[in-house]
RNA sequence: GUGGGUGUAGUUCAAUGGUAGAGCACUGGAUUGUGGUUCCAGGCGUUGCGGGUUCAAAUCCCGUCAUCCACCCCA
């Protein structure tokens, strides 16, 4: 039952019976990013608070109310990272990663922190995976980044998601567009919900995806961002679509996709699982062409995405998908009698030193209890060692699935196991 | 941060204000060297925590913590 201490709100333990799922997701993500030649980058989980305020935007909710901000002993104002892009761009600039003129293709996996009210698929400490591709504004890159997300979800076996894309233009387009939005919604001001009355001042684009019915109706005829793209942004967006089609990635244009973070420009996209409830964005991403410069680097464009492992797991479990194999030992050693147990201990060590994962139930003596333990461990093979075997210098090898068992010379067992288990 | 629901054994859930139960899981056993099916046996758990009302509280009230759903926002 509950002890004296409880885990902090919105956090969770990844227990041994579940950790293989995270392992599987990480491995799969590494495999997929490898196909695209992305390399891993690891940055600290805390940064100067200022970094996020500058990049994500002081007015954004993330900075406003969701950041874990604290002072260290020297009075430095730090924050647990709420997202992954800003730290990576910081590192890119600080370490001059673009120095050789190549694209920086980076991926990361790690915890992020947001002080929010917890919900299913949304936690205060959660694990994100993501990529950043810094150094090119070529629309081919947009498609490639999207392809990484697409291939990842597909590789996990997911099929129930939808890719939605939009272009939110550059700061120039946004300026005009926001004016148009404000103008449009102002004429309906009295009919807007109280949230939207604030949004119209703070972030007009947010009016577009309000969930209140009356606002939805009004938003239906609101001007579309896509009509306000300048030539450059419009061509870029078209090319992105062409490139996606070229590599057979289906997508839907959703002019209502809005990014919450200030640094986004041009392409914005989301992979959405529509039967997931409110927290349905599996992956969210977009271009951030001004960010590197803003953080003190050269005027270099970038694009990336991020996704949360917890939502992925919810989505996969809903679909009944597997997370690879749960970890189990290769063999389970069962011993009978003192002499066999004594011998078994050194034999166990021999197996392990030969890269055979082996387990024993040291506190149980009866054959039955040990066989039960072997079964529960999910080891594919049991090795039974008793007086009979020791006398003849043999050991019983039992296939736990078929029940078939045979006597094998002790001198040959390691070699035989390596062969059956296909360990090189 | 706002609104609503929930909180009982490892877990899923029962229990008109009157001694707290079941399935699954777990452990042991079913003639002494064989698991996964079957049968038998084994649970006194501060009913999340702290107050209050009452002769009596898992049950009613207040607070608190946690969780779930929605909003805000986001992965």
């Amino acid at each position: 039952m509950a002890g004296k201490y409880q885990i902090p709100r919105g956090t969770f333990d990844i227990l041994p019976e579940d950790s293989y799922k995270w392992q599987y997701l990480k491995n799969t993500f590494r495999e997929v990013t490898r196909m695209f030649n992305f390399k891993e980058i690891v940055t600290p989980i805390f940064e100067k608070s200022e970094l996020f305020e500058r990049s994500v935007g002081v007015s954004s909710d993330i900075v406003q109310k969701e950041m874990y901000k604290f002072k260290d002993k020297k009075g430095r104002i730090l924050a647990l990272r709420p997202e992954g892009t800003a730290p990576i761009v910081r590192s890119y600039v600080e370490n001059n990663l673009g120095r050789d003129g190549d694209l920086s293709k980076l991926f990361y996996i790690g915890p992020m922190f947001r002080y929010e009210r917890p919900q299913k698929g949304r936690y205060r400490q959660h694990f994100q995976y993501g990529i950043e591709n810094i150094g090119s504004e070529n629309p081919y890159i947009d498609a490639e980044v999207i392809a990484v997300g697409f291939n990842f979800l597909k590789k996990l076996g997911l099929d129930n998601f939808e890719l939605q894309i939009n272009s939110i233009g550059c700061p120039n387009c946004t300026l005009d567009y926001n004016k148009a939005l404000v103008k449009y919604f102002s004429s309906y001001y009295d009919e807007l919900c109280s949230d939207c009355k604030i949004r119209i001042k703070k972030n007009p684009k947010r009016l577009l995806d309000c969930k209140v019915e009356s606002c939805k109706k009004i938003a239906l005829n609101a001007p579309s961002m896509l009509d306000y793209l300048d030539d450059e942004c419009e061509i870029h967006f078209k090319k992105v679509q062409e490139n996606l089609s070229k590599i057979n990635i289906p997508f839907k244009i959703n002019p209502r996709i809005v990014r919450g973070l200030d640094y986004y420009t041009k392409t914005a996209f989301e992979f959405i699982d529509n039967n997931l409830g409110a927290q349905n964005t599996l992956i969210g991403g977009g271009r951030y062409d001004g960010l590197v410069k803003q953080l003190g680097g050269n005027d270099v464009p970038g694009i990336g995405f991020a996704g949360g492992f917890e939502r992925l797991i919810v989505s996969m479990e809903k679909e009944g998908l597997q997370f690879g194999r749960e970890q189990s030992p290769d063999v389970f050693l069962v011993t009978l009698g003192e002499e066999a147990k004594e011998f078994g201990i050194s034999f166990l060590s021999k197996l392990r030193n030969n890269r055979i994962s082996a387990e024993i139930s040291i506190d149980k003596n009866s054959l039955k209890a040990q066989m039960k333990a072997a079964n529960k461990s999910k080891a594919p093979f049991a090795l039974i060692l008793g007086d009979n075997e020791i006398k003849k210098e043999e050991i019983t090898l039992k296939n736990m699935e078929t029940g078939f068992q045979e006597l094998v010379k002790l001198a040959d067992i390691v070699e035989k196991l390596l062969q059956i288990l296909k360990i090189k």
Side-chain angles (χ1 to χ4, degrees), chain A residues 332-333 335 341 345 348 359-365 370:
Chain A
F332 200 102
L333 179 63
T335 62
K341 186 167 267 182
I345 288 170
L348 194 64
E359 183 59 289
I360 190 170
S361 183
I362 199 70
D363 288 326
K364 285 178 181 148
N365 294 316
Q370 290 185 70

Side-chain angles (χ1 to χ4, degrees), chain A residues 3-43:
Chain A
K4 190 172 177 183
Y5 296 106
Q6 268 183 303
I7 195 167
R9 179 167 209 205
T11 64
F12 54 92
D13 298 316
I14 300 174
L15 300 174
E17 68 242 39
D18 290 322
S19 55
Y20 77 99
K21 296 178 186 171
W22 265 259
Q23 209 59 48
Y24 175 71
L25 295 178
K26 284 183 201 172
N27 290 342
T28 306
F29 188 62
R30 289 200 166 101
E31 260 173 59
V32 173
T33 50
R34 165 101 182 85
M35 290 304 110
F36 289 79
N37 192 32
F38 281 75
K39 290 182 178 155
E40 184 159 17
I41 180 167
V42 180
T43 65

Side-chain angles (χ1 to χ4, degrees), chain A residues 112-169:
Chain A
M112 302 293 164
F113 305 82
R114 286 187 204 167
Y115 189 93
E116 300 185 275
R117 194 121 168 213
Q119 237 173 290
K120 194 183 221 75
R122 179 217 265 181
Y123 302 90
R124 288 186 171 183
Q125 173 173 339
H126 63 280
F127 291 83
Q128 279 189 21
Y129 56 92
I131 65 173
E132 309 294 348
N133 190 328
I134 305 173
S136 172
E137 55 185 356
N138 193 317
Y140 164 76
I141 295 298
D142 301 48
E144 186 178 281
V145 164
I146 289 171
V148 173
F150 182 82
N151 286 15
F152 178 51
L153 297 179
K154 281 285 183 193
K155 184 141 199 168
L156 295 174
L158 285 169
D159 232 343
N160 54 331
F161 61 85
E162 185 177 85
L163 167 63
Q164 300 188 351
I165 63 170
N166 188 25
S167 175
I168 55 176

Side-chain angles (χ1 to χ4, degrees), chain A residues 354-374:
Chain A
N354 279 285
R355 294 192 298 155
I356 295 165
S357 165
E359 183 59 289
I360 190 170
S361 183
I362 199 70
D363 288 326
K364 285 178 181 148
N365 294 316
S366 82
L367 177 59
K368 198 185 208 49
Q370 290 185 70
M371 284 306 291
K372 270 190 174 181

Side-chain angles (χ1 to χ4, degrees), chain A residues 215-284:
Chain A
C215 296
K216 267 188 182 169
K217 255 184 202 158
I218 298 170
L220 221 55
N221 295 315
S224 167
M225 178 76 228
L226 297 177
D227 296 329
Y228 284 79
L229 295 179
D230 61 25
D231 288 351
E232 191 200 322
C233 292
E234 194 176 338
I235 292 168
H236 183 93
F237 191 44
K238 275 225 176 79
K239 283 266 167 65
V240 172
Q241 295 172 50
E242 284 172 22
N243 285 324
L244 284 173
S245 300
K246 239 181 248 172
I247 52 179
N248 294 317
I249 294 182
F251 60 89
K252 211 170 115 181
I253 295 174
N254 177 1
R256 291 187 149 59
I257 288 184
V258 179
R259 303 270 70 185
L261 286 46
D262 282 3
Y263 53 64
Y264 283 112
T265 57
K266 290 184 180 166
T267 311
F269 61 93
E270 291 181 359
F271 286 93
I272 289 171
D273 178 346
N274 279 317
N275 34 35
L276 212 56
Q279 310 303 325
N280 63 356
T281 305
L282 255 22
I283 290 178

